[in-house]
């Protein structure tokens, strides 16, 4: 009996370690398999991780750097168009209209004549005009062989000696006995004919130019 027990114990001691090792290995393998399975299938966690891609806004085709100059240009005030300054026109001063008390108003008569540098009249023509009368008043004017103009406008201006000589082609004021640098001239507006223009030599003498001849006219009566 003792031999049998010893034999049994000997066999059990040889088999048991092998059995224990196999069991332990099986348990470890089983646990590893379960862990691997849970890792692959995700069964070990109730929460599933979801991959969330960041949402990006669509990129505009226009660049802000390009919009800013356009907006800045729109916000800038539009410069006013400056028109260029026109050149100053040289306007000759208009002659003065005489008052009713002008010294040349009155009745006048041709007494003599002086030929200019160029003349279209003969001595006989000039002699025929001696004694011709002219009437210059504020209400009317009689000139050129009794031509009458009602409500005449007498336009006064001053003419230099050089201008006088230039207008009458070399005839000077000295030729007419006038030793002045300038002379006053009067033109009757809307009048045409001998006596429509005259120069004031002095208070009682006028000079009427006509066809290159200068007629000296003396006062007969005044306006008063």
């Amino acid at each position: 009996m003792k031999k049998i027990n010893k034999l049994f114990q000997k066999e059990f001691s040889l088999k048991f370690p092998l059995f224990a090792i196999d069991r332990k290995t099986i348990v470890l393998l089983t646990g590893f398999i379960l862990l691997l399975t849970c890792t692959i299938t995700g069964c070990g966690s109730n929460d599933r991780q979801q991959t969330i891609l960041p949402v990006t806004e669509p990129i505009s085709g226009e660049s802000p750097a390009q919009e800013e100059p356009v907006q800045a240009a729109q916000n800038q005030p539009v410069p006013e168009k400056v028109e260029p300054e026109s050149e100053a026109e040289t306007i000759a001063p208009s002659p003065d209209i005489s008052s009713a008390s002008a010294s040349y108003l009155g009745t006048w008569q041709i007494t003599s004549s002086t030929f200019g540098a160029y003349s279209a009249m003969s001595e006989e023509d000039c002699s025929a005009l001696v004694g011709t009368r002219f009437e210059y008043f504020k209400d009317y004017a009689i000139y050129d062989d009794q031509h009458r103009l009602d409500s005449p406008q007498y336009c006064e201006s001053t003419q230099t000696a050089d201008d006088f000589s230039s207008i009458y082609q070399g005839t000077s004021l000295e030729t007419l006995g006038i030793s002045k640098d300038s002379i006053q001239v009067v033109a009757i507006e809307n009048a045409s004919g001998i006596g429509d223009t005259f120069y004031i030599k002095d208070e009682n003498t006028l000079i009427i130019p006509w066809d290159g001849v200068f007629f000296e006219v003396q006062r007969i009566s005044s306006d008063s």
Side-chain angles (χ1 to χ4, degrees):
M1 187 69 180
K2 292 181 177 179
K3 291 181 178 181
I4 294 170
N5 289 338
K6 289 181 179 179
L7 180 62
F8 175 76
Q9 292 177 352
K10 182 177 181 180
E11 291 178 357
F12 180 78
S13 61
L14 291 173
K15 294 180 180 180
F16 179 74
L18 181 60
F19 173 78
I21 292 171
D22 294 339
R23 187 177 179 181
K24 183 177 180 180
T25 302
I26 292 170
V27 171
L28 291 174
L29 290 173
T30 302
F32 177 76
I33 292 171
L34 291 176
L35 179 62
L36 181 62
T37 303
C38 291
T39 302
I40 294 173
T41 60
C43 61
S45 175
N46 294 329
D47 297 333
R48 295 183 179 181
Q49 297 180 354
Q50 297 180 357
T51 303
I52 301 175
L53 297 177
V55 179
T56 58
E57 295 181 357
I59 300 175
S60 175
E62 295 181 357
S63 175
Q66 296 178 355
E67 293 180 356
E68 290 180 358
V70 175
Q71 294 179 355
Q74 293 178 352
N75 295 331
Q76 289 182 356
V78 179
E80 296 181 359
K81 184 178 180 180
V82 179
E83 299 183 358
E85 297 182 357
S86 59
E87 296 182 0
E89 296 181 357
T90 304
I91 301 175
S94 58
D96 296 331
I97 304 300
S98 67
S99 63
S101 60
S103 60
Y104 51 81
L105 296 182
T107 303
W108 306 80
Q109 187 176 38
I110 294 177
T111 58
S112 63
S113 61
T114 301
F115 284 89
Y118 300 94
S119 175
M121 299 183 68
S122 63
E123 293 183 1
E124 290 78 8
D125 295 333
C126 294
S127 299
L129 291 176
V130 173
T132 301
R133 297 178 63 167
F134 302 90
E135 297 182 21
Y136 302 124
F137 296 99
K138 65 176 182 178
D139 297 329
Y140 69 95
I142 296 178
Y143 63 97
D144 192 21
D145 196 18
Q146 306 301 312
H147 286 180
R148 181 186 176 100
L149 178 66
D150 293 328
S151 301
Q153 295 292 326
Y154 300 99
C155 302
E156 303 175 359
S157 60
T158 301
Q159 199 169 94
T160 65
D162 291 338
D163 290 339
F164 184 91
S165 179
S166 177
I167 293 171
Y168 296 106
Q169 300 179 359
T171 302
S172 64
L173 291 178
E174 294 181 354
T175 303
L176 305 177
I178 302 172
S179 57
K180 297 179 181 178
D181 295 333
S182 62
I183 189 171
Q184 188 176 14
V185 58
V186 180
I188 304 175
E189 189 173 338
N190 297 326
S192 178
I194 184 172
D196 60 352
T197 301
F198 54 86
Y199 291 88
I200 301 175
K201 184 176 182 178
D202 55 48
E203 186 178 354
N204 295 312
T205 308
L206 302 180
I207 300 295
I208 295 179
W210 189 253
D211 285 344
V213 179
F214 299 89
F215 295 93
E216 189 169 287
V217 184
Q218 295 293 324
R219 183 192 294 275
I220 296 176
S221 66
S222 63
D223 187 23
S224 59

